[in-house]
Each structure stands twice: as C-alpha cells, then as structure tokens.
Amino acid sequence: MVSWIIANPFIAAAVACATGSAILLLWYLLRRPALTNATKLVLLAAIGVLPLATATTGNVAGYEATKARRFCGSCHVMTPYRDDSQDARSAALAARHARNALFGDENCYACHADYGMFGTVTTKLGGLRHVYEYLFHYRNMPLDEAREKIHIRRPFQNATCMHCHSTEGPSWNAIKDHASLLDRVRGGQVSCASAGCHGPAHPFSKPAQTSATPAQPPQPEHVP
Amino acid sequence: MTIWSRFSAPLTLRISAVLTLIGLALMVWSMVEPTPLPVMLAMTVGQGIGTLAFGIYVFIVVRELRREFRRARERDPS
C-alpha cells in the first residue's frame, strides 16, 4: 500500500498534509496550550491550510480513482465485466481495448464516458445514478439475476468509437464493410458493436444477436 | 448573551479540532480504499465537516479579536 501511495503524487501529497494536520491537532488536543497568537497560527495551519490542501489534492486523486477499472468493478454486479476486460486471454472487444496501453486500467471510463464540454460532468452525474441504483436496487442481487436485468441505459454510441477510429483513415476505409457502411456508421444507423460487425463489447452479457443493430434509438418523426 | 458566547474559545477550538480529524479521516479513507462509498463520503460529508470546522475556527478567532478591540477601546476611549 505504501508504494501505491508514493507512486501517486496527489495521494502522497494529500496523505502528507493530512498527517501534518493530524499531528498538530493531536498536539493541541493533548497539550492544551494557551490560546496565544502563535497557537492560533498553528491552528490556522492545522484546521485551515493543511486540510484544504488535503481536500484539493484528495479531490484530484478521488477523481482519478473513479476512472480506474477496479473502481467500476468494486460493485459486485460489475465484477464479470471487470474480470472479462482484464482477462489477457479474452477476445471480447472490451478486453482487446483494455490491452491497448492508451486505455489500460481506465478502459471502462474511456469507452463509457460522455464527450464534449460537459462530458465529464454528465458522466459523473450518471455515476451518481449508478451508485443510487446499486445501493437501493441491486446491492443484494445475485450475479445471474443482475446479468439478466442490468443493461446499458442507452445504446452504445458509434461517436464514442469514432473518437479514436475517426472513419477518415485510409486503412479503415480499405475494409470493404467499412466503406460500404460509411454513412450509416457515421449516422449511427448501424452500430459498430453489432453482431456481424465487431460484436458486443461484453459478449457474455448479451443474448445472441443475428443482425446488425442501430447504434441509436429511432428518432420520432416531427409532425407539424 | 447568545448561545455562542457560552462556549469558551478553547473548548470550541477543541471541538473544531476533533471535527477536522474526523473530516481528514474520511478523506484519507477514500484514498486508501478508492471505492464508491468512501470516495463519495470524502467528497461530501468529509469536506462538509472540514468546512464546518474551519468556519468554527474563523468564528472564534474573529470573536476573540473583536473582544480584544472592545477591551482596548474601553481602556483607552480616545
């Protein structure tokens, strides 16, 4: 654990500030010195400056921690997804991406996070909903039942894939299926994760699909 | 006499110190065990307790300073 704390500078700084603050506070509580200006300055450091530094660096460390695969897999209903994606022998789409150094330990977040200016905020709000759902609905659910009942809230968007696979590169377009479906892939009418294309990212969780599926739900027609 | 003036500065600062220790413990817990519950507790309850503790400290220091100014003015009205 010590090496893990030292390896992350934000965690190391937060723990160092918290330790310094705790030492000063314990000194104040145990020695009970007179409330002089010097004591007030010590308390300013112990109650104000050092805890503020702990909270600031701790927030960054906490935010980074929420992107890690082990964070996502810490709810038991997600353990099959975590185990499959970190399985070096798995051929699932999620596992193959996790073996890419650009995704690495943050492969869940890399594919499931929203993009755009407020993408991080909407992703974190969605994460809060996950915690709520887990605590109040799925905490005691057996894994087999969870696999049947828990599904991705919205169909996976091709736009997420296209942040890395831009569909502009010559090697991508050299594949006949890509070239023939180019507009439908970009428009989201055909999902990259369709059966017959790349298949679902977590195949163990999906019933067998026999045909290409849309990446987005059909839009309602506007009636004037 | 308000309810706050009944609490002596050393006692109130000791309460503030204990609250700070609780807040710090929650924050450090979230770093040692980065799972949803500790992280959320640290970012909400932990930081709330820390802010409350610092607010109490500022309140006490300002109150003591005002008392000192008042005493100084009473000693030397000019």
Side-chain angles (χ1 to χ4, degrees), chain A residues 51 54-56 58, chain B residues 20 22-32 38 42-43 46-48 50:
Chain A
T54 305
T56 307
Chain B
T20 306
I22 294 169
L24 286 172
L26 286 172
M27 291 182 214
V28 171
W29 180 36
S30 76
M31 283 171 256
V32 175
M43 288 186 172
Q47 292 188 12

Side-chain angles (χ1 to χ4, degrees), chain B residues 51-70:
Chain B
T51 306
L52 175 66
F54 186 58
I56 291 172
Y57 167 82
V58 171
F59 171 77
I60 292 297
V61 168
V62 169
R63 191 184 73 177
E64 293 299 305
L65 282 175
R66 288 181 65 185
R67 281 181 181 172
E68 281 179 26
F69 281 131
R70 202 179 304 142

Side-chain angles (χ1 to χ4, degrees), chain A residues 1-60:
Chain A
M1 181 188 290
V2 174
S3 60
W4 170 61
I5 289 173
I6 293 171
N8 187 324
F10 287 108
I11 294 179
V15 171
C17 290
T19 306
S21 174
I23 290 170
L24 294 175
L25 290 171
L26 288 173
W27 167 80
Y28 176 75
L29 288 171
L30 298 175
R31 295 293 298 271
R32 301 193 176 189
L35 198 57
T36 61
N37 284 342
T39 310
K40 286 176 188 169
L41 281 176
V42 169
L43 287 177
L44 176 65
I47 298 176
V49 178
L50 290 173
L52 187 65
T54 305
T56 307
T57 49
N59 272 349
V60 178

Side-chain angles (χ1 to χ4, degrees), chain A residues 170-184:
Chain A
S171 61
W172 191 90
N173 279 294
I175 296 167
K176 286 179 184 172
D177 286 341
H178 286 171
S180 63
L181 291 169
L182 184 60
D183 291 336
R184 297 175 70 194

Side-chain angles (χ1 to χ4, degrees), chain A residues 2-4 10 14 18 30 33 39 42 55 57 63 93 101 120 130 138 168 172 179 191 205 208 210-211 223-224:
Chain A
V2 174
S3 60
W4 170 61
F10 287 108
L30 298 175
T39 310
V42 169
T57 49
Y63 171 71
L93 208 54
T120 304
H130 287 177
Y138 302 118
E168 302 283 351
W172 191 90
S191 169
S205 68
T210 53
S211 60
V223 180

